[in-house]
Amino acid sequence: MIHVKKRRPTVLGIITFFVVLMVVSPLLIIIPTSFTSTGALRFPPEGFSLQWYVKIFDRPEFIDSFWFSLQLALVTAVIATIIGTLAALALHKYKPRGAGMINSLLMSPLTVPSLIIGIAALLFFTRIGLAGTFIGLLLSHILISVPYVVRLVYTGLSTFDYTLERAASILGANSFRTFWDITFPIIRPAVFSGMVFAFLTSFDNVTVSLFMVSPSTTTLPMAIFSYMQESLTPLVASISSIVILLSLVFIFILERVYGLDRLFGSNSHAH
Amino acid sequence: MPQLKRSKGLIAMLLLVPGLIIILGVFVLPMIYMLMISLREDMGRGAWTLVSYAHLFQDSYYLEILWRTVKLSLYTVVVCLLLGYPVAMYMAQAAPKMRGLITFLILSPHLISVVIRNFGWVVILGDDGFINNTLMSLGIISGPLRLLYNELGVVIGLTDSLIVYMVLAISTSLYAIDSSLYKAAGILGASRTKQFFSITLPLSLPGIFAGTTLVFSLAMSSFVTPALMGGTSVKVLPVLAYEQMMASLDWSLGAAIAFLLLGSTILLVTIFTRLVETKRYKEVFSS
C-alpha cells in the first residue's frame, strides 16, 4: 500500500469525508428534526418539544405495526437460523453429492431482485390460498433470510476442526451431545450473527412485504412507507428515530460479535 | 463402509430438507408459476400466448419507462464510481483502524430500512429542507431548488443506497495490489499520476467491473427510492410492476413486466461482461 504519512488532509481524505457524511447524514438529520415544536418538516428544526413522540400514540397503526414487525422479525430469525444452520452443517460436514449445486440453490434468492420474489410469491400464494396471510408473509421473510444464515454459518464452519467431534464420539458422546457440547459453542458467534442479520433483514424489508401484507398484517416499514406517500410530517421523524436507535443496538452487537465487513463479503440484495 | 457413506448422505439430506422446501416452495415454484402466467392465457391455465410481452414492446409508454430505468441506473453507476473510487483509494492507504472505521460508517446505515434513509433525504433535499434553507439564508438562491421528486432525487437516493457496494468491490481489489510495485515505479522515476494510470487503475479494473454490475443490477430493481424520492413523475419498471400487480390488477402484464425487468438486467450485464472480457483478451494478445 502507498502509506502516505502526511498530517494535512489530502484530496482523497476530503472526498472520503464527504461520501461518509452523505451516507450517514440522512439518518443523523432525522433525530433533531423529530424534536421540532412546529408541524413543518423543516431543517434546522424550530423550537424543542416532544409532541411528535406523544402523537405516535394517536396513531395505533404505528404502535400495532411496530409490535407486529418485532414479532415477525423474531419468529423469522429463529426459524431461518435453525433452517440455515442445519443446511450449512449438512453442506460443510457431510459434503453430500451435488453440494455445490445445492449451495447455489440455497443462495439463489439473493440473485433475483426481492421485488420480483415478492411478485412471484404473491401470484403463487394466491393460487394456493396463502396470499395475505401471516404464514405467507412469514414464509417470504424466511426465504430472504435463510441465504444469509447459510453463508454466515458455512463461513463460521470453515475453520472448524472435525477431529474434535471424532474425539468426542470416541469418548462416548452421542451425536446430539457432540453437537451441543463441541460443535455449537464453536460456531455460536456465526449462528448468532446469522440470527441478528436475519432479524434485521425481516425488520427492514419493504419490497417483499409490499406484496405479502394485508390490513391486519402490516409491518412497520410498510406503515411508514404508506404514510409517507400521503403526508410528510415530523411524525415520521419521531417514529424513525426510535427505529434508528433500536437498530443501532443490533448493529453494534453485530459489529462486536462478527464484524460488519465480513457480513457484506459478497453479493447482497438486502433491498 | 458404503453403508456408512449412505447413512451420511441420508443425514445430510434430512438436514437440508427444510431449507430446500423453503427455496423450492417460496421461490423456485413461484418463479415458474409466474412465467406460466406471463406466457399463458387465463392465469397460466389457457393457451400459450405472447400477448403480454407484445403489449409491452408495442407501446412506447412501456419502452420509455424501460429506457428511464436503464438511464437512471447508468447515472447511478457513474456517480457511484466517481465518488466511490477515491474512497476506496483512501481506504487502501489508510491505517487498519481508520479503514475499519470507514467500513463501519458506510456499512451500518444499510442495516436500517431504506424507507427511513429516504425520509432523511426528504428532510435534506426538500423545498424547506437543509440544503435549500442553507442556500437561501446565505442569499445564494432566492427560491428553493428542485432537488426532490425528479430524476436528480432518485439518483441521489440510489447513490446513497448503493455506493457501499462499489466502494467495497474496488477497495478489495486495491488491497490486493503489491506495494513493491509502487516502490519499483518510484525508483524508476514514475510520477504519482503515471503510477495511478499504470498500476492502480489497471489492477483495480476487476473491482470496478464487479462494482459496476452489482450497482447496476440493484439500481434497476429498486422500488422504494424511486417511489419516495422520484414522486409520480419519475416512473420506473419496478414501480410500474407494483402498480400493475396491486392497482390495475393485471397480473399477466405484471408478471411480464417482472420478466422484462429481470431479462433486460441480465442482458445488459451480460453484454457489459462480454465487452469487458473481449477487451481484456485483446490486451493479452497484443502484448
Side-chain angles (χ1 to χ4, degrees):
Chain A
M1 257 17 70
I2 331 169
H3 289 295
V4 193
K5 292 253 157 62
K6 265 187 255 170
R7 281 284 153 209
R8 67 189 175 85
T10 58
V11 179
L12 291 180
I14 294 166
I15 297 175
T16 304
F17 176 77
F18 277 104
V19 170
V20 169
L21 193 67
M22 177 190 89
V23 176
V24 178
S25 56
L27 298 177
L28 290 186
I29 214 158
I30 289 174
I31 296 165
T33 311
S34 67
F35 293 109
T36 183
S37 57
T38 68
L41 194 62
R42 195 163 192 275
F43 195 89
E46 283 158 354
F48 178 89
S49 84
L50 290 172
Q51 59 161 318
W52 293 104
Y53 286 88
V54 178
K55 279 190 178 133
I56 297 175
F57 294 98
D58 299 340
R59 310 279 311 208
E61 82 256 38
F62 289 118
I63 308 280
D64 294 347
S65 62
F66 177 75
W67 288 118
F68 180 74
S69 270
L70 271 184
Q71 290 164 12
L72 175 68
L74 203 65
V75 178
T76 301
V78 169
I79 299 177
T81 305
I82 294 171
I83 293 176
T85 305
L86 293 181
L89 266 176
L91 287 175
H92 198 271
K93 187 176 170 189
Y94 299 104
K95 298 199 169 49
R97 246 185 298 163
M101 210 192 79
I102 296 170
N103 187 46
S104 357
L105 191 63
L106 288 169
M107 291 298 140
S108 59
L110 294 185
T111 59
V112 171
S114 51
L115 180 93
I116 292 176
I117 292 178
I119 296 176
L122 171 65
L123 293 169
F124 189 66
F125 284 176
T126 305
R127 176 72 185 270
I128 62 173
L130 280 179
T133 64
F134 175 75
I135 297 292
L137 180 64
L138 178 66
L139 285 173
S140 69
H141 277 220
I142 292 172
L143 174 80
I144 55 171
S145 313
V146 162
Y148 295 110
V149 179
V150 174
R151 197 169 65 195
L152 284 167
V153 177
Y154 192 86
T155 319
L157 279 167
S158 62
T159 51
F160 183 70
D161 185 358
Y162 285 104
T163 50
L164 289 174
E165 283 194 345
R166 230 172 298 151
S169 72
I170 288 168
L171 292 172
N174 62 29
S175 47
F176 181 76
R177 182 91 205 230
T178 309
F179 173 78
W180 203 245
D181 286 348
I182 309 287
T183 320
F184 186 68
I186 293 176
I187 61 169
R188 195 160 45 200
V191 174
F192 180 71
S193 309
M195 191 150 97
V196 177
F197 202 71
F199 179 90
L200 286 173
T201 304
S202 164
F203 193 71
D204 287 350
N205 185 275
V206 176
T207 35
V208 172
S209 306
L210 209 56
F211 301 98
M212 294 289 120
V213 297
S214 70
S216 63
T217 58
T218 295
T219 64
L220 183 64
M222 275 305 300
I224 301 176
F225 179 79
S226 312
Y227 183 82
M228 264 185 81
Q229 286 192 311
E230 279 145 35
S231 47
L232 285 166
T233 65
L235 184 67
V236 187
S238 56
I239 295 163
S240 300
S241 301
I242 294 170
V243 177
I244 291 170
L245 292 177
L246 190 76
S247 306
L248 277 179
V249 174
F250 285 102
I251 290 168
F252 276 108
I253 294 173
L254 266 185
E255 171 71 9
R256 291 306 284 273
V257 177
Y258 199 78
L260 285 184
D261 48 336
R262 283 170 69 197
L263 279 179
F264 282 75
S266 57
N267 298 15
S268 128
H269 282 242
H271 32 84
Chain B
M1 233 17 212
Q3 205 179 353
L4 189 69
K5 216 172 183 181
R6 207 175 337 134
S7 77
K8 271 179 125 185
L10 195 69
I11 297 172
M13 269 304 135
L14 278 176
L15 295 177
L16 282 166
V17 160
L20 291 177
I21 287 177
I22 289 280
I23 301 285
L24 290 175
V26 192
F27 177 65
V28 178
L29 278 180
M31 288 295 284
I32 296 169
Y33 184 61
M34 180 163 73
L35 189 64
M36 287 300 186
I37 287 181
S38 78
L39 286 173
R40 294 177 73 167
E41 287 170 359
D42 195 23
M43 284 302 283
R45 268 169 281 186
W48 294 87
T49 171
L50 280 171
V51 73
S52 299
Y53 292 95
H55 191 73
L56 289 178
F57 283 106
Q58 278 162 0
D59 196 333
S60 65
Y61 171 73
Y62 297 113
L63 295 178
E64 249 170 56
I65 293 178
L66 172 64
W67 167 236
R68 187 181 300 127
T69 314
V70 173
K71 188 179 69 178
L72 291 177
S73 304
L74 288 175
Y75 288 164
T76 306
V77 167
V78 172
V79 179
C80 283
L81 186 58
L82 291 178
L83 290 177
Y85 203 96
V87 177
M89 272 183 82
Y90 183 79
M91 285 168 73
Q93 298 171 3
K97 223 173 172 182
M98 187 65 171
R99 192 186 285 176
L101 179 70
I102 297 170
T103 312
F104 178 75
L105 285 176
I106 62 170
L107 276 179
S108 48
H110 293 271
L111 294 172
I112 293 171
S113 187
V114 65
V115 174
I116 292 174
R117 268 183 295 133
N118 283 345
F119 174 71
W121 278 114
V122 172
V123 180
I124 296 173
L125 301 173
D127 285 352
D128 210 1
F130 177 59
I131 290 183
N132 275 320
N133 277 339
T134 310
L135 291 178
M136 280 194 286
S137 64
L138 291 172
I140 298 171
I141 50 168
S142 53
L145 296 172
R146 196 116 182 95
L147 303 169
L148 207 60
Y149 308 125
N150 53 21
E151 296 192 350
L152 176 68
V154 177
V155 174
I156 292 174
L158 288 178
T159 303
D160 165 49
S161 299
L162 304 178
I163 195 168
V164 58
Y165 299 101
M166 188 67 93
V167 170
L168 291 183
I170 297 173
S171 62
T172 310
S173 66
L174 288 180
Y175 294 160
I177 297 179
D178 186 348
S179 61
S180 57
L181 285 174
Y182 293 103
K183 232 175 276 169
I187 291 167
L188 293 170
S191 67
R192 294 287 291 279
T193 325
K194 174 91 181 156
Q195 286 184 22
F196 175 78
F197 282 106
S198 45
I199 301 172
T200 315
L201 189 62
L203 287 176
S204 65
L205 284 178
I208 295 179
F209 298 148
T212 299
T213 47
L214 197 53
V215 170
F216 180 78
S217 7
L218 289 172
M220 284 288 287
S221 63
S222 301
F223 168 80
V224 177
T225 303
L228 290 180
M229 295 179 71
T232 43
S233 60
V234 190
K235 194 174 282 181
V236 291
L237 273 187
V239 175
L240 181 74
Y242 173 74
E243 285 177 0
Q244 288 300 324
M245 293 300 298
M246 307 308 272
S248 316
L249 295 174
D250 187 342
W251 285 8
S252 45
L253 194 62
I257 295 169
F259 279 106
L260 176 67
L261 177 63
L262 197 59
S264 53
T265 310
I266 293 171
L267 182 73
L268 289 168
V269 166
T270 313
I271 292 174
F272 174 74
T273 319
R274 283 285 154 79
L275 283 177
V276 165
E277 278 178 356
T278 38
K279 193 153 172 285
R280 207 186 288 166
Y281 292 139
K282 258 187 213 148
E283 265 168 28
V284 172
F285 287 127
S286 65
S287 60

